[in-house]
Amino acid sequence: MLKKFLFSVVFSMAFTMACIAQETETVQNPTSVAENAVAVFPKFQGGDHKLSLNKYAMKHYVIPNGFQGKGVLIVDFTIDTKGKVKNIRVINDLGYGSAESAIKLLKKMPRWTPAYNAKGEPIEFINQLKITMSNLSQQVQH
């Protein structure tokens, strides 16, 4: 699978602090904005949210055959009110099927605990997955 290069894959989740309001009307008063603000961020299954997510990604992400590059693959996705991943969108594709592999990873991902607003209602949340791929001879920056 990896003929000439060995790659290290480092996964990190970067919360975008963007929340999609459940209502389609224009929010104009500060109270409505505060009510739809994220009070509890979504969590991936497992005790330590980031560690569990990294373990899942490391186990299920497949480096495409023929990939000989390096860089950061970035994919946005929405965690809906039931914790399901949807609206997957590639922001930075490294080519050779790397984005398709990330999309497969996200589509097979188990449900999350959704985000909640100040009223305790589940809300949709836009999240971002960054996959850094580099030669082992180069240092991976965290």
Side-chain angles (χ1 to χ4, degrees):
M1 179 154 76
L2 298 175
K3 296 178 183 174
K4 294 184 181 179
F5 295 96
L6 293 177
F7 295 92
S8 67
V9 180
V10 178
F11 296 87
S12 64
M13 294 301 298
F15 291 108
T16 61
M17 300 302 176
C19 175
I20 301 172
Q22 293 176 325
E23 302 171 30
T24 57
E25 66 188 20
T26 304
V27 178
Q28 293 190 1
N29 70 46
T31 305
S32 294
V33 173
E35 288 173 357
N36 285 316
V38 178
V40 178
F41 288 95
K43 290 186 176 79
F44 188 70
Q45 65 181 1
D48 181 337
H49 163 73
K50 284 188 178 187
L51 182 61
S52 297
L53 179 59
N54 286 343
K55 283 182 180 180
Y56 176 85
M58 291 290 285
K59 182 177 179 181
H60 292 93
Y61 183 78
V62 178
I63 298 172
N65 287 332
F67 184 84
Q68 296 183 7
K70 62 181 178 177
V72 180
L73 170 68
I74 303 172
V75 183
D76 281 353
F77 60 97
T78 301
I79 300 166
D80 72 12
T81 58
K82 297 190 185 315
K84 189 172 179 181
V85 172
K86 66 178 192 177
N87 301 332
I88 301 168
R89 184 174 61 120
V90 177
I91 304 301
N92 188 41
D93 187 356
L94 300 178
Y96 298 96
S98 60
E100 290 81 3
S101 189
I103 291 168
K104 286 180 186 177
L105 168 84
L106 289 168
K107 285 184 175 180
K108 292 180 181 180
M109 191 171 274
R111 290 184 189 244
W112 292 56
T113 301
Y116 289 89
N117 64 15
K119 290 182 176 181
E121 301 166 331
I123 54 176
E124 292 189 336
F125 186 87
I126 298 173
N127 207 351
Q128 191 172 81
L129 174 68
K130 293 182 180 181
I131 302 171
T132 303
M133 298 200 286
S134 63
N135 296 346
L136 282 177
S137 61
Q138 302 205 358
Q139 290 188 336
V140 177
Q141 296 182 359
H142 298 276

